[in-house]
Amino acid sequence: MARRLPSCFYKDCFCFNSSDFAPYWAEIIGYSCGGIFAIGWWLFIDAVMYAGSHSLPVAIKFDDWVPGILSTLALIMINSVDKNLLNGNESIYGEGVAWKARLFAFLGVALGVGSLGGAITIMALKYINPGYIGEAAWAGFAIVAQNFLIFVSGMCLWLFRSLERGEEYSIADADLKKKRTFRKFSYRGVDLEDLMDLTSDQLVELVHCRARRRFQRGLKRKPLALIKKLRKARKEAVDNEKPATVKTHLRNMIIVPEMIGSVVGVYNGKTFNQVEVRPEMVGHYLGEFSITYKPVKHGRPGIGATNSSRFVPLK
């Protein structure tokens, strides 16, 4: 059987992967745009030298230089505008920066298009209409090619710079999201998903000793009734909304995983404080989250509390 040659028999020399060039795309596109710009000016200078050395019937004058100079100026104007400034936030960049950047970019593009149109007009009026053909009309075609290449190089450079910055921002956002990984909750080494699937015996072995003794002695009727009410409230709850509040006086009720996500109104001796059960509360008592007193907040001292504010009778 004939032996099949591999598609790449010399990997280091003949096989290329586009991902290998990813770090160098900025340099490649930048040098390419610069090369296109240089080719445009080289064509025009070649036409100028050729016309001077061969004594062509049409001489190169200053008006032939104007479109190329204006196209170069348009390239500088376009690439000096940052894309972020076009949609800039006034609170960040200042007032009126966005419309100024848009106006400057518009003037640059209009100048580039106008220069290209001027080059076409010069070629038509100075070289085509008089009937010059061949080498006599070479300068006119060189002027048009020069301005076209300069305009293309300027627009490609601006577009690539914008895309490159967008990729940089997207990579930075992805890295930021990777850094902002949230801590996964676990109760004594058991994840939340596994915690919800634990049986009663497994939960008893996991909680602290006081709660373990409480569960081993057996739960009374009232705690079981509260769990039943919470289960019913969660079942009747609308999607993406919290279940109804279930009021209770059982401040010594130990929070179990089945109660996570429920809303309990815990009595503090005067009112029922709403407590939303979270995973971090497992193993604690309901009364810990509904204090029976109002924390004291000391204000300024009253009159007579200090020597400086003591009442002094007038004689």
Side-chain angles (χ1 to χ4, degrees):
M1 186 175 67
R3 185 178 179 183
R4 184 177 180 182
L5 292 175
S7 59
C8 179
F9 58 89
Y10 196 60
K11 183 176 180 181
D12 295 336
C13 292
F14 299 104
C15 283
F16 300 99
N17 190 357
S18 59
S19 61
D20 297 337
F21 297 96
Y24 308 104
W25 276 121
E27 289 80 1
I28 293 173
I29 299 298
Y31 288 138
S32 300
C33 294
I36 295 173
F37 175 81
I39 291 172
W41 272 103
W42 178 81
L43 290 175
F44 177 74
I45 294 175
D46 178 73
V48 172
M49 300 298 293
Y50 187 83
S53 61
H54 289 74
S55 300
L56 296 181
V58 182
I60 302 295
K61 297 181 180 180
F62 179 73
D63 56 349
D64 299 318
W65 288 80
V66 172
I69 295 173
L70 295 180
S71 295
T72 305
L73 180 61
L75 182 146
I76 297 173
M77 293 176 63
I78 293 172
N79 287 277
S80 62
V81 177
D82 191 354
K83 186 179 180 180
N84 295 325
L85 295 178
L86 300 179
N87 298 320
N89 189 353
E90 293 185 356
S91 61
I92 299 176
Y93 298 103
E95 185 177 359
V97 174
W99 71 266
K100 292 177 183 178
R102 294 171 191 164
L103 178 61
F104 194 76
F106 173 77
L107 292 177
V109 175
L111 186 61
V113 175
S115 301
L116 181 59
I120 296 174
T121 303
I122 291 175
M123 181 186 69
L125 297 179
K126 195 173 181 179
Y127 297 94
I128 301 300
N129 288 346
Y132 296 112
I133 58 175
E135 61 180 11
W138 163 238
F141 289 102
I143 294 172
V144 175
Q146 174 206 20
N147 286 270
F148 176 75
L149 292 177
I150 292 175
F151 182 74
V152 169
S153 66
M155 294 304 298
C156 289
L157 183 60
W158 185 82
L159 290 174
F160 177 76
R161 286 174 59 244
S162 302
L163 293 175
E164 181 186 7
R165 292 185 179 182
E167 292 177 356
E168 290 179 357
Y169 294 146
S170 62
I171 293 173
D173 293 340
D175 294 339
L176 182 61
K177 289 180 180 179
K178 289 181 180 179
K179 293 179 181 179
R180 293 177 55 191
T181 54
F182 297 98
R183 182 177 62 87
K184 193 174 182 180
F185 173 78
S186 62
Y187 179 75
R188 300 199 171 191
V190 180
D191 295 337
L192 180 60
E193 293 80 6
D194 299 332
L195 189 65
M196 300 294 292
D197 297 333
L198 292 180
T199 62
S200 300
D201 297 335
Q202 293 173 339
L203 181 62
V204 168
E205 296 177 358
L206 196 63
V207 296
H208 51 86
C209 61
R210 184 179 292 272
R212 190 183 309 122
R213 288 196 299 268
R214 174 81 173 274
F215 288 137
Q216 288 176 349
R217 294 189 182 110
L219 294 178
K220 304 300 181 180
R221 179 179 57 84
K222 291 183 179 180
L224 294 176
L226 176 61
I227 294 176
K228 186 176 180 180
K229 290 181 181 179
L230 295 175
R231 191 183 300 136
K232 180 180 178 182
R234 285 199 307 273
K235 186 177 180 179
E236 296 176 351
V238 184
D239 294 339
N240 300 325
E241 291 188 7
K242 296 179 182 180
T245 303
V246 178
K247 296 181 179 181
T248 182
H249 287 77
L250 299 177
R251 295 177 54 84
N252 61 345
M253 174 69 182
I254 300 174
I255 298 175
V256 294
E258 189 179 358
M259 298 170 62
I260 295 176
S262 301
V263 180
V264 186
V266 184
Y267 191 67
N268 67 346
K270 184 177 181 181
T271 58
F272 290 91
N273 294 327
Q274 286 192 359
V275 177
E276 183 178 357
V277 182
R278 298 189 298 271
E280 295 82 2
M281 300 179 181
V282 173
H284 292 267
Y285 293 93
L286 285 177
E288 298 180 39
F289 308 99
S290 178
I291 57 177
T292 58
Y293 62 93
K294 184 177 181 181
V296 178
K297 294 182 180 179
H298 296 283
R300 56 183 300 178
I303 298 177
T306 59
N307 292 329
S308 60
S309 63
R310 183 175 299 174
F311 174 74
V312 179
L314 296 177
K315 293 182 181 179

